[in-house]
Amino acid sequence: MSLAHNLHKHQHPLLQLFQQIDSMMLHVHQPRRGRPPKFSDAQIVKCMIYQVFYRIKSLRELEWRLRYDSHARTWIGLSEVPDHSTLSRRVTTIEKSSYELLFHEILHRLNPQTCITYWDSTPLRASRFDQEAQKGKGTRLGWYVGYKLHAIVSEDLLPLVWRVTPANIHDSQTGSMLGELTLFSVFRLLGDGAYDVRRLFERAAEYNI
């Protein structure tokens, strides 16, 4: 294998992401009982990153792509590919146990600029067959059926806190998000007229925002 190929391989952004995951998972390790799983949490998280990186739409497609991508399997450390049902089960477990810890470890390393933060929501359309979706009104879409993504982001646009709610939840009803900002040193929080509500100002004052 040529030196140029080796250099190119080590500069591949996906491999660099996988190396960062290995490092961060050491800080979010959760103690387990019984036999160790066939696939580690780090390997499953890497599979999910691979899915996002290549915009793979389903776990079945992810399973198929990994079977034919020997480089990715080597970088992830897979001797065999987990099937789509295993991926689904393990991702659900990791979401409940490790994702929040991993998220905060990522933010710690990125060191976001939080003196000034921004609060807003964006509409997310849903299928008409989605029974949990609700009707709401957005400035961009007008009336639509779906959800809202409420997010508070840092000055350098890194997400600090977020919520997904049905579309009929008004922006001013998500004041509980302010409590999570106590993890960061926030001086000023900017939002539009939807947040011009006395109780939000009072809650912000409690947290010295």
Side-chain angles (χ1 to χ4, degrees), residues 53-85:
F53 189 88
Y54 288 112
R55 299 183 181 181
I56 298 171
K57 296 182 179 180
S58 71
L59 294 180
R60 288 181 183 273
E61 183 184 353
L62 173 60
E63 178 188 350
W64 181 85
R65 289 281 295 270
L66 286 171
R67 290 188 187 281
Y68 291 93
D69 191 338
S70 59
H71 290 298
R73 292 199 308 273
T74 300
W75 294 349
I76 296 173
L78 295 173
S79 57
E80 61 179 282
V81 177
D83 60 39
H84 60 275
S85 60

XYZ file of all heavy atoms in Angstrom, residues 53-85:
292
model
N -23.536 9.985 7.696
C -22.497 10.503 6.804
C -22.871 10.258 5.341
O -22.680 11.126 4.490
C -21.161 9.837 7.137
C -19.970 10.440 6.439
C -19.291 11.509 7.000
C -19.528 9.931 5.234
C -18.192 12.060 6.373
C -18.428 10.474 4.588
C -17.755 11.542 5.161
N -23.400 9.074 5.060
C -23.753 8.724 3.681
C -25.256 8.848 3.399
O -25.725 8.399 2.351
C -23.286 7.299 3.370
C -21.781 7.203 3.223
C -21.022 6.512 4.155
C -21.127 7.826 2.171
C -19.631 6.433 4.033
C -19.744 7.745 2.041
C -19.013 7.043 2.968
O -17.642 6.975 2.849
N -25.996 9.465 4.322
C -27.419 9.750 4.141
C -28.196 8.481 3.780
O -29.002 8.453 2.842
C -27.619 10.827 3.076
C -26.949 12.148 3.439
C -27.208 13.206 2.422
N -26.543 14.466 2.784
C -26.614 15.591 2.069
N -27.321 15.610 0.958
N -25.981 16.672 2.475
N -27.949 7.451 4.538
C -28.633 6.172 4.345
C -29.978 6.243 5.058
O -30.044 6.602 6.236
C -27.769 5.017 4.882
C -26.449 4.960 4.092
C -28.501 3.695 4.790
C -25.432 4.002 4.678
N -31.045 5.886 4.373
C -32.386 6.177 4.868
C -32.965 5.121 5.801
O -33.934 5.402 6.518
C -33.324 6.389 3.675
C -32.959 7.605 2.838
C -33.938 7.801 1.693
C -33.577 9.031 0.876
N -34.523 9.233 -0.254
N -32.454 3.899 5.788
C -33.040 2.857 6.628
C -31.951 1.953 7.188
O -30.833 1.900 6.670
C -34.035 2.017 5.819
O -33.349 1.202 4.878
N -32.299 1.229 8.261
C -31.345 0.301 8.859
C -31.098 -0.910 7.959
O -30.017 -1.493 7.985
C -31.850 -0.145 10.234
C -31.927 0.955 11.297
C -32.452 0.384 12.611
C -30.575 1.622 11.506
N -32.082 -1.275 7.174
C -31.877 -2.371 6.215
C -30.827 -1.980 5.177
O -29.950 -2.774 4.826
C -33.188 -2.731 5.527
C -34.184 -3.458 6.424
C -35.453 -3.791 5.659
N -36.461 -4.421 6.496
C -36.545 -5.717 6.719
N -35.678 -6.543 6.137
N -37.484 -6.213 7.495
N -30.949 -0.749 4.674
C -29.953 -0.268 3.709
C -28.590 -0.135 4.369
O -27.560 -0.439 3.754
C -30.379 1.070 3.119
C -29.412 1.590 2.054
C -29.762 2.967 1.535
O -30.839 3.496 1.904
O -28.948 3.528 0.779
N -28.555 0.313 5.622
C -27.296 0.425 6.351
C -26.617 -0.937 6.468
O -25.402 -1.060 6.230
C -27.553 1.011 7.740
C -26.361 1.048 8.697
C -25.223 1.889 8.136
C -26.797 1.566 10.069
N -27.387 -1.947 6.837
C -26.837 -3.299 6.931
C -26.235 -3.736 5.591
O -25.127 -4.273 5.530
C -27.946 -4.267 7.357
C -27.492 -5.723 7.429
C -28.647 -6.676 7.664
O -29.768 -6.208 7.967
O -28.426 -7.914 7.529
N -26.966 -3.491 4.515
C -26.499 -3.888 3.175
C -25.229 -3.147 2.791
O -24.272 -3.746 2.278
C -27.614 -3.617 2.164
C -27.252 -4.011 0.755
C -27.364 -5.247 0.184
C -26.700 -3.150 -0.247
N -26.934 -5.221 -1.119
C -26.516 -3.945 -1.417
C -26.363 -1.805 -0.289
C -25.992 -3.421 -2.600
C -25.842 -1.279 -1.460
C -25.667 -2.083 -2.599
N -25.185 -1.826 3.065
C -24.011 -1.028 2.695
C -22.770 -1.472 3.461
O -21.671 -1.533 2.906
C -24.292 0.463 2.964
C -25.286 1.096 2.011
C -24.671 1.447 0.675
N -23.656 2.465 0.813
C -23.903 3.782 0.737
N -25.146 4.215 0.523
N -22.922 4.657 0.850
N -22.933 -1.773 4.737
C -21.794 -2.199 5.542
C -21.238 -3.541 5.078
O -20.021 -3.772 5.149
C -22.184 -2.275 7.020
C -22.352 -0.936 7.747
C -22.941 -1.153 9.130
C -21.028 -0.193 7.837
N -22.103 -4.405 4.591
C -21.640 -5.714 4.111
C -20.706 -5.576 2.910
O -19.835 -6.428 2.682
C -22.836 -6.596 3.746
C -23.645 -7.045 4.941
C -24.690 -8.077 4.551
N -25.574 -8.375 5.672
C -25.244 -9.180 6.674
N -24.076 -9.790 6.675
N -26.097 -9.406 7.657
N -20.865 -4.514 2.141
C -20.070 -4.335 0.931
C -19.014 -3.240 1.063
O -18.378 -2.881 0.080
C -20.995 -4.039 -0.258
C -21.826 -5.236 -0.662
C -23.104 -5.415 -0.148
C -21.313 -6.204 -1.522
C -23.865 -6.527 -0.491
C -22.068 -7.320 -1.875
C -23.333 -7.465 -1.355
O -24.084 -8.567 -1.705
N -18.834 -2.705 2.279
C -17.828 -1.659 2.505
C -16.795 -2.196 3.497
O -16.914 -2.016 4.707
C -18.489 -0.392 3.043
C -17.551 0.810 3.046
O -16.322 0.591 3.043
O -18.045 1.948 3.062
N -15.778 -2.845 2.968
C -14.782 -3.474 3.834
C -13.973 -2.445 4.613
O -13.556 -2.705 5.743
C -13.844 -4.354 2.995
O -13.186 -3.586 1.998
N -13.713 -1.263 4.003
C -12.965 -0.221 4.715
C -13.734 0.235 5.954
O -13.147 0.369 7.038
C -12.699 0.973 3.792
C -11.724 0.693 2.704
N -10.413 0.345 2.946
C -11.853 0.704 1.357
C -9.776 0.153 1.799
N -10.636 0.361 0.813
N -15.036 0.469 5.794
C -15.844 0.928 6.929
C -15.878 -0.128 8.021
O -15.772 0.194 9.216
C -17.260 1.270 6.468
N -16.016 -1.392 7.648
C -16.045 -2.451 8.659
C -14.731 -2.491 9.434
O -14.718 -2.687 10.650
C -16.302 -3.808 7.998
C -17.695 -3.960 7.417
C -18.049 -5.432 7.211
N -17.035 -6.150 6.449
C -16.992 -6.212 5.122
N -17.906 -5.574 4.409
N -16.044 -6.908 4.502
N -13.619 -2.297 8.728
C -12.313 -2.279 9.397
C -12.207 -1.095 10.336
O -11.761 -1.224 11.483
C -11.180 -2.238 8.356
O -11.268 -3.396 7.530
C -9.818 -2.199 9.037
N -12.629 0.080 9.879
C -12.537 1.283 10.705
C -13.457 1.193 11.927
O -13.112 1.675 13.005
C -12.895 2.518 9.879
C -11.925 2.819 8.777
C -10.693 2.252 8.584
C -12.102 3.742 7.699
N -10.092 2.760 7.456
C -10.934 3.682 6.896
C -13.120 4.604 7.322
C -10.760 4.453 5.757
C -12.960 5.387 6.193
C -11.796 5.311 5.421
N -14.623 0.581 11.752
C -15.558 0.422 12.875
C -15.097 -0.689 13.812
O -15.395 -0.674 15.001
C -16.981 0.139 12.350
C -17.509 1.342 11.564
C -17.949 -0.181 13.491
C -18.833 1.092 10.855
N -14.342 -1.649 13.265
C -13.873 -2.784 14.060
C -14.841 -3.949 14.059
O -14.930 -4.698 15.035
N -15.569 -4.123 12.951
C -16.574 -5.178 12.857
C -15.987 -6.417 12.182
O -15.480 -6.337 11.066
C -17.774 -4.695 12.034
C -18.612 -3.549 12.619
C -19.649 -3.097 11.606
C -19.274 -3.969 13.924
N -16.091 -7.552 12.852
C -15.734 -8.822 12.209
C -16.922 -9.362 11.430
O -16.767 -10.164 10.516
C -15.273 -9.846 13.248
O -16.284 -10.040 14.230
N -18.118 -8.938 11.815
C -19.331 -9.231 11.054
C -20.283 -8.058 11.216
O -20.127 -7.227 12.122
C -19.986 -10.522 11.517
C -20.431 -10.523 12.962
C -21.095 -11.839 13.341
O -22.271 -12.027 12.971
O -20.418 -12.665 13.982
N -21.274 -7.964 10.351
C -22.179 -6.817 10.336
C -23.424 -7.116 11.164
O -24.071 -8.155 10.954
C -22.581 -6.474 8.885
C -23.598 -5.324 8.874
C -21.347 -6.099 8.072
N -23.796 -6.258 12.103
C -25.054 -6.465 12.836
C -26.242 -6.313 11.898
O -26.236 -5.445 11.018
C -25.037 -5.356 13.896
C -24.102 -4.320 13.365
C -23.084 -5.048 12.556
N -27.247 -7.162 12.059
C -28.413 -7.040 11.187
C -29.281 -5.862 11.627
O -29.065 -5.270 12.684
C -29.215 -8.342 11.150
C -29.745 -8.763 12.512
O -30.179 -7.881 13.291
O -29.713 -9.968 12.814
N -30.258 -5.520 10.799
C -31.035 -4.306 11.051
C -31.821 -4.382 12.356
O -31.996 -3.372 13.035
C -31.975 -4.032 9.873
C -32.961 -5.128 9.613
N -32.663 -6.224 8.840
C -34.244 -5.297 10.036
C -33.717 -7.021 8.793
N -34.676 -6.496 9.506
N -32.293 -5.565 12.746
C -33.043 -5.685 13.999
C -32.126 -5.485 15.208
O -32.518 -4.857 16.202
C -33.741 -7.044 14.073
O -32.808 -8.102 14.008
